[in-house]
Amino acid sequence: MHIDISTEEFLFNGQAYFLPSLSIDNVIFGFHKNELKVLLLQLQNNPKWELPGGFIYKDEEIEDAAARILTARTGLADLFLQQFYVFGSTQRTRKELLVEAMNQITDQSWLMNRFVSIGYYALVDYEKVNLQPTETANVYAWHDLNKIPELFFDHRQIIEKALQTMRLQLNHLPIGYNLLPEEFTLKSLQTIYETILGRKLDRSNFSRKILGYGILQKKEKHYSGSAHKAPFLYSFNKEAYFKALETGLDKDF
């Protein structure tokens, strides 16, 4: 769903189209070559960075809104989005910050009201992301998690909560489907887990647990890029993988 409205109409009559006082902030983590980054954007008149977020149309499901915003910002569709928290502090959307960020805004704008934000996170291969500039935000960049610049509102807190939640949910939800080639080694999958968790995992323990989930299919052929005993290749059992996203897993790392 998308409705074309002018910037002026959005600023001063957005409540005619969107749910008032409710927004979505997507934390888009990007993984590639053993690095984990987060996608941030800059408004044209604001030196601070922020998360790619947006608003919910009045007749739109919240999950559909989160997916629409993600696609609009990254060019990617059909990704697994996880709702992780609601941010509703009375101090999170201060008027002076809005005025500083958007020079066209006035006290009459609906954006000057208090907003509660629903947080979602996604994990993507950032080399596959096609960033989409918008009329008000034309600077996008991937940032290392340990080098995050000054952020707007409470967006640093949102990122920290998303990372904390993703690490906890590694024990209950599978990952890697959109981050690996069709066939891969267990070591490649373990590297993704270690990068997100920020710690090393025991190889044999990881193999035992990940194979115990029943979401991988072992191939008859071996990996050809190893000088030593070549490891087996695996692929995801798509049906089992997506069922596990719905029902969860039961083994902790």
Side-chain angles (χ1 to χ4, degrees), residues 30-166:
F31 177 90
H32 188 75
K33 293 184 178 179
N34 305 341
E35 291 184 331
L36 188 64
K37 299 178 183 287
V38 65
L39 180 63
L40 301 174
L41 62 87
Q42 259 185 336
L43 296 178
Q44 293 177 354
N45 302 306
N46 185 15
K48 295 180 181 178
W49 293 80
E50 61 183 77
L51 292 166
F55 302 95
I56 306 163
Y57 289 112
K58 288 188 173 181
D59 58 350
E60 184 179 31
E61 297 291 341
I62 293 176
E63 291 79 10
D64 293 339
R68 170 180 55 79
I69 292 166
L70 176 66
T71 300
R73 297 293 188 260
T74 66
L76 297 179
D78 301 322
L79 293 179
F80 175 71
L81 274 168
Q82 178 68 40
Q83 185 182 134
F84 67 93
Y85 204 71
V86 174
F87 300 86
S89 169
T90 58
Q91 299 299 314
R92 67 174 306 270
T93 52
R94 300 197 303 275
K95 292 183 178 181
E96 63 270 21
L97 293 178
L98 281 169
V99 173
E100 176 185 333
M102 306 176 71
N103 58 9
Q104 302 178 59
I105 203 167
T106 69
D107 286 339
Q108 285 69 48
S109 173
W110 70 300
L111 296 173
M112 297 296 270
N113 296 320
R114 175 187 175 188
F115 272 82
V116 171
S117 186
I118 304 171
Y120 283 81
Y121 76 79
L123 182 61
V124 303
D125 183 338
Y126 61 72
E127 282 214 339
K128 297 178 182 178
V129 173
N130 178 26
L131 300 180
Q132 304 292 314
T134 66
E135 184 178 347
T136 57
N138 58 1
V139 180
Y140 290 82
W142 292 100
H143 292 263
D144 293 335
L145 289 176
N146 59 350
K147 297 180 181 178
I148 295 176
E150 186 178 6
L151 298 180
F152 198 54
F153 287 160
D154 57 351
H155 289 192
R156 182 177 291 276
Q157 177 189 348
I158 295 175
I159 293 172
E160 291 172 352
K161 186 67 176 180
L163 181 60
Q164 178 190 46
T165 304
M166 183 168 64

Side-chain angles (χ1 to χ4, degrees), residues 242-253:
F242 285 100
K243 182 178 180 180
L245 282 179
E246 295 179 1
T247 61
L249 302 168
D250 58 2
K251 294 181 178 67
D252 290 348
F253 282 102

Side-chain angles (χ1 to χ4, degrees), residues 5-20 55-58 108-111 115:
I5 57 176
S6 67
T7 300
E8 183 177 3
E9 177 74 358
F10 168 75
L11 289 176
F12 300 106
N13 196 33
Q15 71 276 10
Y17 307 92
F18 300 102
L19 291 175
F55 302 95
I56 306 163
Y57 289 112
K58 288 188 173 181
Q108 285 69 48
S109 173
W110 70 300
L111 296 173
F115 272 82

